[in-house]
Amino acid sequence: MHIGFRSMNTLRDPAPPVLARALEERGFESLWYGEHSHIPCSLKTPYPGGGALPEPYKLMMDPYVSLMAAAAATTRLRLGTGIALLMERDLFSQAKTIATLDQLSGGRVLIGVGVGWNEEEFANVSRQPWKKRYGVLRETVAATRALWRDDQAEYHGEFIRFDAVWCSPKPLQAGGPPVLMGAMGPLGTRHAAEWADGWFPVDFALPDVTAAVADFRNLVISHGRDPDAVEITLQAMLQPSLDDLKRYRDAGIARVNVGVSVDLWDRPEAMMPMIDRYAEMIPHI
């Protein structure tokens, strides 16, 4: 099992090259940055974690630019989005951005995706229906894969339609980087089982990880797919112990992404001690 590290990616955090080098030197497999291009001041959509919106959400940098800086400072560290809001960017520009990052990093990119939680943010940048967002995301990923794969790519779906185009460069990874679906509820999990390269749940939504993994694998099988081909990455918000990590590994989790707890998101001095603590666990899992 691999250990990744997630960060809010603000100017208060260690700079991406500094953080990436520290992670690679300590045996971490990957670095993960989330995405919010903006946060509506209305705050009409409740923060899903409960309570007030943490300030770092308002300060997040661009994940792809930061991951490119991390890539330039490392040679092995994988580079992930956790998660990217694919529906909130121009399809063609985004496909090119990710493909360029994959090429320049030597094929180290992983794309965690999700539908997002802020309806006003979505409405500011997309005319697609919020209530159909899972279907829109499915088509967004399918269309992006076509752009990554085909010399003359086209897509004709319910929400996304375009005739043949040239869109290069293609990613270094054949067919494009793996796409991991961030979802916990029944609908999102079904989508992950149906079309994603991986499932990307959060640990507090899975009180029984072993049962959740078994249920997900059965769901993948029900869609006629090989469950061994759909990797599971666990977003750890609850500071797992070494025993927890071993339990996740034995349950079939391929990767666990750790990071500082929400109350420490704006205290970068807490980050390196945590990284060092988990670096000591990596040889044991």
Side-chain angles (χ1 to χ4, degrees):
M1 185 178 74
H2 298 298
I3 300 297
F5 189 82
R6 54 178 174 79
S7 164
M8 285 297 285
N9 188 30
T10 77
L11 287 174
R12 297 176 182 174
D13 295 330
V18 174
L19 178 57
R21 280 194 295 267
L23 294 172
E24 186 169 83
E25 289 167 359
R26 288 161 176 79
F28 283 77
E29 180 245 9
S30 48
L31 169 62
W32 298 75
Y33 287 143
E35 177 178 29
H36 283 282
S37 62
H38 68 286
I39 296 293
C41 296
S42 67
L43 297 178
K44 291 180 181 178
T45 302
Y47 173 56
L53 179 78
E55 280 297 307
Y57 269 101
K58 304 174 185 177
L59 307 174
M60 295 170 70
M61 298 190 289
D62 183 277
Y64 302 110
V65 175
S66 295
L67 289 173
M68 187 65 250
T74 55
T75 59
R76 302 181 309 277
L77 192 74
R78 301 202 72 178
L79 312 158
T81 57
I83 58 174
L85 301 176
L86 297 188
M87 297 183 292
E88 297 187 14
R89 291 187 183 231
D90 172 77
L91 179 76
F92 302 102
S93 177
Q94 179 170 247
K96 186 182 290 283
T97 293
I98 296 172
T100 301
L101 175 61
D102 199 56
Q103 281 285 348
L104 296 181
S105 69
R108 291 187 272 154
V109 176
L110 298 157
I111 300 295
V113 305
V115 298
W117 56 268
N118 193 309
E119 184 175 356
E120 291 76 50
E121 177 185 0
F122 181 86
N124 282 343
V125 294
S126 176
R127 302 282 74 84
Q128 300 287 5
W130 172 253
K131 292 183 178 181
K132 298 287 187 178
R133 60 194 181 277
Y134 283 97
V136 176
L137 180 59
R138 179 184 61 240
E139 290 195 6
T140 300
V141 171
T144 301
R145 285 170 167 164
L147 293 169
W148 286 341
R149 180 188 64 236
D150 301 334
D151 177 50
Q152 297 185 27
E154 58 184 279
Y155 189 84
H156 302 279
E158 179 182 356
F159 306 105
I160 296 174
R161 295 173 293 277
F162 57 87
D163 292 330
V165 300
W166 290 298
C167 184
S168 290
K170 305 303 183 188
L172 186 61
Q173 298 179 79
V179 176
L180 287 61
M181 176 62 175
M184 283 80 73
L187 179 58
T189 302
R190 177 177 63 77
H191 276 269
E194 182 180 352
W195 54 258
D197 299 309
W199 183 37
F200 197 3
V202 176
D203 58 354
F204 61 71
L206 306 179
D208 187 337
V209 171
T210 300
V213 170
D215 289 345
F216 179 73
R217 289 175 63 87
N218 287 333
L219 189 58
V220 173
I221 292 170
S222 74
H223 286 283
R225 304 179 66 198
D226 178 3
D228 292 333
V230 185
E231 190 174 74
I232 301 175
T233 296
L234 187 65
Q235 186 89 309
M237 306 296 287
L238 301 178
Q239 304 291 305
S241 65
L242 178 58
D243 286 341
D244 291 330
L245 293 175
K246 290 179 177 178
R247 179 164 51 86
Y248 297 157
R249 176 200 62 197
D250 294 343
I253 301 293
R255 178 185 299 105
V256 174
N257 293 345
V258 300
V260 296
S261 56
V262 175
D263 59 312
L264 299 177
W265 277 358
D266 59 353
R267 291 179 55 190
E269 69 276 8
M271 189 175 291
M272 285 310 303
M274 179 188 180
I275 288 172
D276 287 334
R277 186 168 74 254
Y278 277 99
E280 294 177 357
M281 301 182 193
I282 289 174
H284 301 286
I285 55 172

